Amino acid sequence: MENLLQQIVNGLVVGSVYALVALGYTMVYGILGLINFAHGDVLMVGALVALQVATLLHKFWPGLHPLLILAISLGVAIPVCMLLGYVMERTAYRRLRNAPRLAPLITAIGVSFLLQTVAMIIWGRNYHSFPPLFPTIPLEPFPGVFITPVQVTILVASATLMVALIMLVNRTPLGRAMRATAENHRVASLMGVDTNKIISTTFILGSGLAAVAGVMHASNYGVAHYSMGFLPGLKAFTAAVLGGIGNLGGAMVGGIVLGLVETIGAGYIEQLSFGLLNSSYQDIFAFVILGIVLIFRPTGLLGERVSDRA
Amino acid sequence: MPTEQSAPILELQDVRIRYGQIEAVKGISLQLHRGELVCLIGANGAGKTSTLNAIAGTLPIASGELRYQGQSITTQPAHLRVRQGVALVPEGRGIFTRLTVEENLRMGAYTRHEKQAVEADLERVYSMLPRVKERLAQVAGTLSGGEQQMVAIGRALLSRPKLLLLDEPSMGLAPLIVEKIFEVVQTVVKEGVTILLVEQNANLALEFAQRGYVMDGGLITITGSGDELLRDPRVRSAYLGETEETP
């Protein structure tokens, strides 16, 4: 029982990181019909920039409070990723706006390779340990169930960001313009909406979320490296499809569900497979789910509830 | 010499529009004066919708010039033309089906920041279109065609247009609703808004319009006052559904 509870806690933590990244996929898809496969690498850039800043701070201001280091690292990583998202759209995707759909998709894969390679050149091919920016003593809310302060922060921060995003999209004129643009660029421009600006904003918002997710991911696992964005990116994409791509609520639900299935599955995979597989095969779950969803319910769990698309 | 007052609010000079190799509009010129209701009639594929889209800015023109309030707007993007008072109710209404009725209407006021005036205009639209008011919280995709058309017109009015472009507002609607829509159009004209109306229903359009242009094959072939066009035998036989009778 404690084991299951523990897996649920871990699953929620991993799932909320997936959800944050999935939101970026789904927002861009909703507005452009583009799967931005480079989105996972924005997460990587966020993590490595934050790591770089934290390392510099350690070096020049030893003894600075870890939470302050975290705040400054995030304060640099988020704008850097936002700028990256903006530049990505402006230079790579915008000119392909009216091209056949395959062209921007392949371009996105190219951007992904580019980002990974540049990151490899800057930060090398090694795994870097991500400094513990939180107190490391785990809390024990139930006997036998542990949760670290990092994980608590991840849960709270991602829940806050998700609520903020939903409010932004559903309650503000900007959000209304985003939804209008997602539905019909031409008519949105007839309303006076500068649709290019809205699309840029979408990339900027998604990339900011990815930066936060990157720092969370690296803090949770304690490592960062140039290709760390690939797997979470692919899984977040799975989460977005699972929830119904283009649907904000779906991305959140999909992320959480995927995180839960994956960690609970990893906890029981040995029993399930009669000892054939162990928990290092946990990545199987994401892709089995992706396959099942695409075969049986390509619109995703919430795909048909389209009123809150963005 | 045209005086300042009689200067046209909208002027098209030798406008051509191409889709790839195909020329949809082959050099047309027309003028609208402030406060006029002018209609553009013609068969399917005559280039009417392309012309309206070019004026609104969602379709680039291949050559020629568009002048609005004396300024060239030929290369100005659509979202900036709205700010200057050009509003288009597009063919097929262009409702945001996933937004609520109220959100659709508020999108019309996207460029405006005077909150109180926007709220007042919303109330005015509600009073003009009482059926819309009953459905504010409803997702607009669930409305009937007539209701959607009213939302589309209300939405355009919320931008406080000086020039309103209407693309086939009667399309596919029951006669009673068409009547209601044309009542609204007349109210809007009375308030001093200039209207360019594209209609397949030429009879109806010419009845209300002061002037009309007839388009055929990408060219303006006939022009005159509403009455003149209604009496013109070429118009009668081609667009008013009358068979040519030998006297």
Side-chain angles (χ1 to χ4, degrees):
Chain A
M1 193 60 205
E2 291 95 51
N3 188 20
L4 181 64
L5 264 177
Q6 182 68 60
Q7 303 298 357
I8 289 175
V9 168
N10 295 346
L12 286 175
V13 171
V14 176
S16 45
V17 175
Y18 292 159
L20 283 186
V21 184
L23 283 170
Y25 273 107
T26 224
M27 281 200 292
V28 166
Y29 183 85
I31 217 152
L32 280 185
L34 163 74
I35 305 289
N36 178 17
F37 271 118
H39 188 60
D41 299 293
V42 178
L43 172 150
M44 171 274 292
V45 171
L48 285 170
V49 167
L51 173 67
Q52 186 70 63
V53 173
T55 313
L56 289 176
L57 288 174
H58 265 302
K59 197 167 157 194
F60 293 106
W61 285 277
L64 203 62
H65 194 280
L67 285 181
L68 202 58
I69 294 182
L70 176 73
I72 298 172
S73 316
L74 270 175
V76 176
I78 293 172
V80 166
C81 287
M82 284 177 158
L83 182 69
L84 178 64
Y86 172 79
V87 171
M88 210 154 58
E89 190 274 327
R90 193 72 190 77
T91 56
Y93 304 139
R94 184 170 298 183
R95 61 192 68 211
L96 298 172
R97 191 84 51 82
N98 298 314
R101 289 176 74 135
L102 198 56
L105 190 71
I106 291 170
T107 305
I109 295 171
V111 172
S112 168
F113 285 157
L114 178 74
L115 290 180
Q116 288 192 27
T117 310
V118 170
M120 190 179 75
I121 292 168
I122 298 176
W123 287 289
R125 306 174 59 165
N126 299 329
Y127 284 64
H128 304 279
S129 72
F130 201 83
L133 300 170
F134 290 89
T136 43
I137 307 130
L139 313 169
E140 195 176 354
F142 303 101
V145 178
F146 296 94
I147 182 164
T148 65
V150 173
Q151 293 178 313
V152 174
T153 312
I154 290 175
L155 288 175
V156 173
S158 44
T160 312
L161 285 173
M162 285 189 246
V163 171
L165 185 72
I166 289 280
M167 299 287 275
L168 173 78
V169 169
N170 286 331
R171 296 280 156 82
T172 66
L174 171 65
R176 201 153 59 217
M178 288 171 72
R179 286 180 289 140
T181 306
E183 181 160 344
N184 191 330
H185 290 216
R186 191 177 82 89
V187 177
S189 74
L190 287 175
M191 303 293 115
V193 177
D194 184 347
T195 50
N196 280 330
K197 222 182 235 169
I198 294 293
I199 290 165
S200 292
T201 307
T202 306
F203 272 85
I204 288 170
L205 283 175
S207 303
L209 292 177
V212 177
V215 175
M216 288 175 172
H217 191 78
S219 301
N220 195 25
Y221 293 101
V223 287
H225 59 106
Y226 75 96
S227 67
M228 67 179 279
F230 178 71
L231 210 50
L234 216 50
K235 287 182 184 169
F237 167 66
T238 304
V241 173
L242 173 62
I245 190 126
N247 182 319
L248 287 188
M252 300 180 195
V253 171
I256 301 290
V257 169
L258 184 64
L260 286 172
V261 169
E262 194 177 280
T263 43
I264 294 172
Y268 293 99
I269 193 169
E270 269 196 84
Q271 283 119 295
L272 285 175
S273 65
F274 306 104
L276 194 67
L277 304 173
N278 59 34
S279 61
S280 55
Y281 283 87
Q282 63 163 327
D283 295 339
I284 282 181
F285 293 100
F287 305 111
V288 168
I289 287 182
L290 182 61
I292 292 174
V293 171
L294 288 178
I295 292 167
F296 294 105
R297 196 172 162 81
T299 53
L301 295 175
L302 307 184
E304 295 303 329
R305 218 196 70 203
V306 287
S307 63
D308 55 1
R309 277 174 73 153
Chain B
M1 281 293 284
T3 62
E4 194 56 41
Q5 264 182 326
S6 71
I9 183 168
L10 178 76
E11 197 171 5
L12 272 64
Q13 286 170 355
D14 198 25
V15 166
R16 289 168 188 272
I17 301 170
R18 282 200 192 94
Y19 297 93
Q21 295 297 307
I22 299 157
E23 199 166 46
V25 173
K26 299 170 180 165
I28 61 165
S29 299
L30 60 83
Q31 290 187 344
L32 262 70
H33 294 271
R34 229 167 270 275
E36 271 190 313
L37 169 52
V38 175
C39 72
L40 194 56
I41 58 176
N44 265 334
K48 309 184 299 287
T49 294
S50 299
T51 304
L52 281 200
N53 288 341
I55 298 170
T58 57
L59 191 63
I61 64 173
S63 69
E65 198 179 10
L66 294 166
R67 296 180 74 78
Y68 172 70
Q69 294 186 321
Q71 308 266 323
S72 171
I73 54 165
T74 310
T75 56
Q76 195 178 42
H79 69 269
L80 295 180
R81 295 189 199 182
V82 185
R83 283 162 212 262
Q84 296 200 37
V86 182
L88 167 66
V89 177
E91 189 179 22
R93 302 161 199 134
I95 285 294
F96 300 114
T97 57
R98 301 194 291 251
L99 272 59
T100 66
V101 171
E102 188 182 347
E103 286 178 325
N104 265 279
L105 292 172
R106 286 190 186 277
M107 279 309 296
Y110 181 76
T111 56
R112 298 173 56 194
H113 300 289
E114 342 85 86
K115 249 191 167 163
Q116 281 181 324
V118 171
E119 297 303 319
D121 284 0
L122 267 173
E123 287 303 322
R124 222 166 49 93
V125 167
Y126 298 157
S127 67
M128 248 192 268
L129 308 167
R131 297 178 59 147
V132 166
K133 191 174 183 180
E134 294 159 24
R135 293 172 165 69
L136 288 182
Q138 210 168 316
V139 173
T142 61
L143 296 185
S144 71
E147 289 162 344
Q148 289 192 0
Q149 188 65 63
M150 289 183 185
V151 171
I153 293 173
R155 187 177 65 177
L157 292 178
L158 274 162
S159 70
R160 282 245 174 129
K162 295 188 185 113
L163 172 63
L164 181 61
L165 310 165
L166 295 169
D167 200 347
E168 306 236 12
S170 76
M171 189 162 47
L173 301 182
L176 263 177
I177 297 165
V178 173
E179 206 173 286
K180 174 72 193 156
I181 283 171
F182 274 82
E183 265 171 43
V184 173
V185 170
Q186 278 186 305
T187 318
V188 175
V189 174
K190 277 196 198 115
E191 288 172 7
V193 177
T194 312
I195 294 186
L196 181 56
L197 169 69
V198 159
E199 260 298 339
Q200 289 245 355
N201 188 339
N203 241 328
L204 187 69
L206 291 172
E207 196 183 310
F208 286 103
Q210 284 134 25
R211 291 193 298 123
Y213 292 93
V214 179
M215 275 188 90
D216 187 17
L219 291 166
I220 288 175
T221 50
I222 312 168
T223 174
S225 73
D227 288 336
E228 280 166 13
L229 293 180
L230 271 174
R231 287 195 303 266
D232 190 302
R234 291 169 296 174
V235 176
R236 294 181 76 88
S237 70
Y239 305 109
L240 300 179
E242 283 185 16
T243 49
E244 267 182 89
E245 289 166 61
T246 42

